[in-house]
């Protein structure tokens, strides 16, 4: 994923798009008439083709605080005090001090018990409980506001972990409070003798909140003089998705898409602007306290790497998706490792595959087993780099990675960052990566992007696509429709396109580095943008049967359609789904003709789903999270010859419930 740059041309283009859409809407009102068209579907099994099983999935990048402060449910930001760097004393942001310099001095030093993250917080408390030098009411200490406020819910339980060392006896109150500290939601006091905390000691306990507060903070306070060191302070909700640490509401949004693969940990994030800040898988596994964390210089914030390699593999497993690992191939945005010195990085990637797939007694498989997952993860895809085929050493380095991985794991599918014409027996690949970021009108036209691609291997993974720039706003209906048209083109060309996923997936509304995004959230709210809801029309396409379609309509080229046969896994019912994208300003009355259907259509049980709104520029928001969402309704008068209407600027699916057949048509 690359960095967007606004310029005069993009602003002008945005104005043109807005004017065109406004004209289209007024034109539609003036006409007041529908166009008429013919949609033909050939449902013959002989003319059908199976769509790849993993056709539609999701791509996660640590951008917009998607993971740290988002999908990963940890509430404390900079929990290990490492974000300020190894030189101490350092910045402890976002931690802040309760008290002033007359009562407490707070800084960092390198006294931690953790070798890979040596920085700890040192609190020198100058006041005491005595009247002559009394601490302020409530004590002094530090607090952490989390990621723009912690969402604390009444009755919910939160696991608190921290490490403490002290030169004196300890009486430290750990509490969850309102943002101003005045409202106490839950509290626990840690006490101990000088001997108890003379060495670093881990303390764990649970807090149950007695109130709701969406903008809370964690406080650690004391009224006892002396020096206290703190490190690796964590607050984790006990109620997470499948108990694995993922924020339940956000992970459920992903599960509802039925993704067939999860590509991670990102593009630029995997590379880093500089190699020292690239994602290093081995530093993100093992006990969370021992992970050093790193600065995400591609997107400008610190991550504690609580969401690490293991957690990504676990998330893929929880979602029933195949993991697709993007590895650092020795390149950052500004640096490269030469092919002559790439061997250690190649070995590191092979070790990472062993971590995922190796037995519990292998060197790296044992590390995974110690984390509670003795069974191997099913890692079948590895992507070498992030669209840097143009760099000096990429092809030489790629061949080193390819040879080493195939030698150790011949069944793994290796994805190249180079385009299809560069793939050859001397530069082999199982798949090649394609990124498509463009304007909404150009995205609509890219429905034919793969029409003339030579058939046969290697196939494409379109791992990043989106309507971008001012054309897309923060996620408009019309941008989602353009992307839907593009996906219909991918369905039609799924004999040369194996997989596809949009980007970016998430944005924390407090740190919007990129627009648009599929899912928007803050500490306690979330909503799907129109392009998120558009994906629901395609979530049954993976592994389905694709049927040829044809549209005939005079003087109107804004309609696209596809047809699939799919089976409901819950009740084994079979449906013929016809999807129609109307990217223009005219409503269209369609005469739908279905030929050579092996079985009949039931008189009841068919459904219609429509994604549209009053304006093509409509967006969802926290205030109106369901302004643009699919509307489901039953269908009547269905048959192999039937009439149906599709509104302007809309995505419509007709799910026709089929009669049972002796032969499975999927």
């Amino acid at each position: 994923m690359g960095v967007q740059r606004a310029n005069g041309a993009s602003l002008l283009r945005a104005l043109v798009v807005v004017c065109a859409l406004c004209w289209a809407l007024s034109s539609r009102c003036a006409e007041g008439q529908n166009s008429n068209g013919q949609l033909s579907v050939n449902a013959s099994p002989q003319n059908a083709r199976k769509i790849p099983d993993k056709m539609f999935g999701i791509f996660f990048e640590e951008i917009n605080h998607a993971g740290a402060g988002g999908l990963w449910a940890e509430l404390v930001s900079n929990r290990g005090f490492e974000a300020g760097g190894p030189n101490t004393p350092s910045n402890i942001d976002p931690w802040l001090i309760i008290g002033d310099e007359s009562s407490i001095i707070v800084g960092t030093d390198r006294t931690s018990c953790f070798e890979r993250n040596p920085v700890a917080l040192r609190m020198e408390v100058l006041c005491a409980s005595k009247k002559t030098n009394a601490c302020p009411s409530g004590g002094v200490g530090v607090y952490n506001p989390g990621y723009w406020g912690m969402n604390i819910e009444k009755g919910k339980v939160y696991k608190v972990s921290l490490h403490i060392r002290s030169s004196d006896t300890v009486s430290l109150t750990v509490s969850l409070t309102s943002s101003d500290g005045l409202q106490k939601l839950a509290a626990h006091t840690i006490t101990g003798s000088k001997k108890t905390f003379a060495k670093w000691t881990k303390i764990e306990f649970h807090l149950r909140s007695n109130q709701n507060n969406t903008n809370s903070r964690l406080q650690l306070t004391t009224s006892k003089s002396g020096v206290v060191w703190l490190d690796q302070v964590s607050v984790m909700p006990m109620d997470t998705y499948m108990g694995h640490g993922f924020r339940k509401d956000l992970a459920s949004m992903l599960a509802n898409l039925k993704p067939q693969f999860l590509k991670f940990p990102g593009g630029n994030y995997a590379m880093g602007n500089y190699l020292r800040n690239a994602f290093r898988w081995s530093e993100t596994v093992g006990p969370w306290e021992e992970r050093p964390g790193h600065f995400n210089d591609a997107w400008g914030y610190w991550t504690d790497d609580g969401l690490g390699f293991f957690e990504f593999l676990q998330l893929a497993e929880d979602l029933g998706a195949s993991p697709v690992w993007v590895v650092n191939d020795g390149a950052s945005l500004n640096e490269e490792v030469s092919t002559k010195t790439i061997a250690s990085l190649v070995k590191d990637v092979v070790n990472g595959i062993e971590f995922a797939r190796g037995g519990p007694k292998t060197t790296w498989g044992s590390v995974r087993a110690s984390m509670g997952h003795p069974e191997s993860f099913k890692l079948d895809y590895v992507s070498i780099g992030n669209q840097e085929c143009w760099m000096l050493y990429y092809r030489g380095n790629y061949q080193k990675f390819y040879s080493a991985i195939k030698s150790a794991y011949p069944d793994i599918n290796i994805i190249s960052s180079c385009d299809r014409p560069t793939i050859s027996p001397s530069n082999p690949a199982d798949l090649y990566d394609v990124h498509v970021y463009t304007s909404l009108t150009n995205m609509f036209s890219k429905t034919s992007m793969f029409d003339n691609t030579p058939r046969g291997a290697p196939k494409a993974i379109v791992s990043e696509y989106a309507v971008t720039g001012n054309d897309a706003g923060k996620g408009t209906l019309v941008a989602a429709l353009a992307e839907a048209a593009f996906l219909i083109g991918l369905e039609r060309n799924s004999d040369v396109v194996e997989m596809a996923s949009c980007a970016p997936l998430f944005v924390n509304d407090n740190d919007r580095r990129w627009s648009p995004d599929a899912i928007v959230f803050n500490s306690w709210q979330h909503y799907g943008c129109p392009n998120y809801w558009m994906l629901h029309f395609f979530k049954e396409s993976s592994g389905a049967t694709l049927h040829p379609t044809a549209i005939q309509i005079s003087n109107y080229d804004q309609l696209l359609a596809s047809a699939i046969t799919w089976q409901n896994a819950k009740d084994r019912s079979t449906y013929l789904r016809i999807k129609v994208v109307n990217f223009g300003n005219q409503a269209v009355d369609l005469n739908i003709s279905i030929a050579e259907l092996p079985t009949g259509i039931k008189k009841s049980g068919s459904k219609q789903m429509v994604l549209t709104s009053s304006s093509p520029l409509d967006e969802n928001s926290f205030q109106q999270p369901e302004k643009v969402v699919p509307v489901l309704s039953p269908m009547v008068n269905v048959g192999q010859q039937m009439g149906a209407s599709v509104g302007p600027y809309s995505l419509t699916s007709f799910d026709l419930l089929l009669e049972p057949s002796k032969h499975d048509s999927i």
Side-chain angles (χ1 to χ4, degrees):
M1 181 170 293
V3 178
Q4 291 176 312
R5 292 179 173 86
N7 54 39
S10 65
L11 293 175
L12 178 60
R13 185 174 67 247
L15 290 173
V16 171
V17 170
V18 171
C19 292
L21 290 173
C22 290
W23 174 86
L25 285 175
S26 62
S27 174
R28 184 188 77 201
C29 294
E31 291 171 5
Q33 293 183 345
N34 293 2
S35 296
N36 295 301
Q38 175 75 33
L39 172 57
S40 302
V41 178
N42 186 327
S44 166
Q46 288 74 30
N47 293 318
R49 173 165 47 81
K50 187 174 184 287
I51 296 174
D53 290 333
K54 303 185 190 307
M55 183 69 189
F56 293 113
I58 52 179
F59 167 65
F60 181 96
E61 174 149 17
E62 182 59 271
I63 179 177
N64 305 319
H65 272 89
L71 181 62
W72 188 242
E74 172 64 60
L75 295 179
V76 178
S77 177
N78 189 18
R79 66 186 179 191
F81 308 101
E82 306 287 334
N87 298 320
T88 58
S90 61
N91 185 6
I92 62 172
D93 184 70
W95 292 88
L96 289 169
I97 298 171
I98 301 171
D100 57 35
E101 61 271 18
S102 68
S103 58
I104 186 172
I105 298 175
V106 176
T108 56
D109 61 23
R110 295 172 61 85
T111 61
S112 175
C113 59
F114 300 109
E115 181 180 352
R116 294 200 296 174
N117 42 13
V119 177
L121 187 76
R122 182 182 186 274
M123 295 197 315
E124 183 178 357
V125 180
L126 306 176
C127 59
S129 56
K130 298 179 181 179
K131 292 183 180 180
T132 55
N133 188 27
C135 288
S137 175
V140 297
V142 292
Y143 72 87
N144 188 294
Y147 298 90
W148 299 280
M150 299 180 181
N151 180 36
I152 303 299
E153 299 179 72
K154 183 177 181 179
K156 293 291 182 71
V157 177
Y158 301 84
K159 182 180 180 180
V160 179
S161 302
L162 69 159
H163 289 71
I164 302 175
R165 185 167 72 89
S166 178
S167 60
D168 208 334
T169 58
V170 169
S171 179
L172 184 72
T173 298
V174 180
S175 53
L176 296 171
T177 75
S178 56
S179 60
D180 57 9
L182 299 178
Q183 179 189 31
K184 188 166 288 188
L185 312 177
H188 174 79
T189 299
I190 301 168
T191 59
S193 65
K194 181 177 181 179
K195 183 178 180 180
T196 303
F197 294 105
K199 295 182 179 180
W200 281 105
T201 303
K202 183 177 183 178
I203 301 294
E204 292 185 313
F205 54 90
H206 293 123
L207 290 176
R208 184 185 297 273
S209 177
N210 57 31
Q211 297 180 62
N212 289 316
N213 193 304
T214 61
N215 188 21
S216 306
R217 72 189 198 188
L218 171 72
Q219 290 191 170
L220 298 96
T221 55
T222 184
S223 294
K224 194 168 187 324
S225 62
V227 179
V228 178
W229 286 267
L230 302 170
D231 201 6
Q232 297 302 329
V233 182
S234 167
V235 179
M236 177 67 81
M238 293 297 291
D239 185 21
T240 61
Y241 186 75
M242 299 189 75
H244 291 143
F246 306 105
R247 185 168 144 178
K248 208 168 186 177
D249 56 344
L250 299 184
S252 296
M253 293 275 284
L254 301 184
N256 290 339
L257 292 175
K258 299 181 182 178
Q260 297 304 303
F261 68 88
L262 168 64
K263 189 182 178 200
F264 68 87
N268 290 6
Y269 177 69
M271 299 173 69
N273 287 341
Y274 294 92
L275 285 170
R276 62 179 175 271
N277 295 319
F279 180 85
R280 305 290 185 186
W281 76 267
S282 60
E283 295 187 349
T284 72
V285 300
W288 59 266
E289 299 101 326
E290 298 177 13
R291 303 180 190 182
H294 75 285
F295 181 61
N296 175 7
D297 64 353
W299 304 113
Y301 56 89
W302 175 262
T303 170
D304 291 310
D305 284 329
L307 180 56
F309 188 47
F310 176 89
E311 286 74 23
F312 281 118
L313 293 167
Q314 183 67 71
L315 177 62
E317 184 177 87
D318 290 347
L319 295 174
S322 292
V324 180
W325 178 27
V326 183
V327 304
N328 183 282
D329 58 0
S332 69
L333 294 180
N334 294 292
E335 299 170 295
E336 274 190 279
V337 176
S338 72
T339 304
K340 290 182 178 179
T341 58
I342 199 66
S344 63
L345 287 174
V346 172
K347 185 176 186 297
D348 182 65
V349 168
V350 175
N351 288 343
I353 300 173
E354 182 181 275
F355 175 89
R357 292 182 41 160
K361 293 185 179 180
T362 60
T363 301
W364 284 104
S366 65
V367 176
R368 182 198 68 242
S370 71
M371 299 178 70
H373 202 288
E375 305 83 9
S376 62
F377 290 106
K378 191 169 175 56
L379 175 62
D380 294 331
Y381 296 86
V382 173
S383 183
I384 309 300
N386 171 52
Q387 289 284 291
E388 63 263 23
C389 186
W390 56 272
M391 297 183 79
L392 178 63
Y393 295 111
Y394 178 81
R395 296 191 191 187
N397 289 351
Y398 170 85
Q399 291 176 6
K400 296 287 188 181
F401 281 98
Y402 184 95
S403 297
I405 294 170
K406 285 291 189 180
S407 176
Y409 302 95
D411 63 312
I412 280 186
N413 296 285
I414 296 181
I415 303 167
S416 171
S417 287
C418 292
D419 292 335
R420 193 181 195 279
T422 70
I423 309 301
S424 67
S426 61
N427 185 42
D430 298 297
L431 297 162
Y432 65 99
D433 195 15
V434 177
H435 297 180
V436 181
Y437 292 105
T438 188
S439 66
L440 65 91
T441 52
N442 196 37
M443 182 66 81
F444 180 80
S445 71
K446 285 187 179 294
T447 184
S448 59
M449 178 176 175
F450 291 93
D451 285 3
N452 298 318
T453 299
R455 272 37 203 170
K459 296 174 71 174
I461 169 173
V462 185
S463 69
E464 299 183 33
Y465 71 84
V467 174
T468 55
N470 293 289
D471 289 358
K474 291 185 177 181
T476 59
L477 167 65
V478 71
L481 298 179
E483 292 178 10
F486 178 65
L487 294 190
I488 282 180
L490 297 189
E491 281 185 333
R492 188 177 65 241
N493 288 285
S494 57
D495 55 334
V496 291
V497 179
E498 184 81 11
M499 307 157 92
S501 53
C502 71
L505 190 59
F506 284 116
V507 59
N508 187 316
D509 197 49
N510 296 284
D511 187 38
R512 189 180 287 270
R513 306 290 174 120
W514 187 288
S515 286
D517 310 273
I519 301 170
V520 184
F521 66 90
N522 57 24
S523 68
W524 62 287
Q525 297 169 294
H526 68 273
Y527 64 86
C529 291
N531 63 339
Y532 168 81
W533 293 110
M534 176 273 293
L535 293 174
H536 285 253
F537 290 73
F538 292 84
K539 65 183 183 181
E540 279 84 23
S541 292
S542 300
T545 299
L546 180 71
H547 303 288
T549 60
I551 292 178
Q552 292 179 314
I553 183 171
S554 299
N555 302 318
Y556 193 68
D557 59 358
Q558 303 298 296
L559 224 61
L560 289 170
S562 71
I564 63 169
T565 304
W566 66 279
Q567 191 172 70
N568 188 318
K570 292 182 179 179
D571 61 10
R572 310 300 293 176
S573 297
T574 301
Y575 293 86
L576 175 66
R577 170 173 292 179
I578 302 171
K579 294 191 294 289
V580 182
V581 176
N582 187 350
F583 192 63
N585 66 308
Q586 297 182 28
V588 179
D589 291 330
L590 286 173
N591 178 27
I592 300 176
S593 175
I594 304 168
E596 300 188 54
L597 188 66
T599 184
I601 300 173
K602 287 191 172 184
K603 293 183 178 180
S604 62
S606 295
K607 298 169 289 185
Q608 174 179 294
M609 187 163 64
V610 181
L611 181 70
T612 191
S613 193
S614 58
S615 167
L617 297 178
D618 278 350
E619 302 176 351
N620 291 335
S621 64
F622 289 125
Q623 293 73 34
Q624 293 181 289
E626 297 184 350
K627 186 174 185 178
V628 187
V629 297
V631 175
L632 190 67
S633 60
M635 294 182 67
V636 295
N637 300 323
V638 296
Q640 296 186 37
Q641 300 287 332
M642 65 181 199
S645 294
V646 291
Y649 299 110
S650 67
L651 171 59
T652 304
S653 72
F654 306 104
D655 272 316
L656 307 178
L657 180 60
L658 303 182
E659 297 281 1
S661 173
K662 294 181 180 180
H663 303 287
D664 188 1
S665 63
I666 295 182

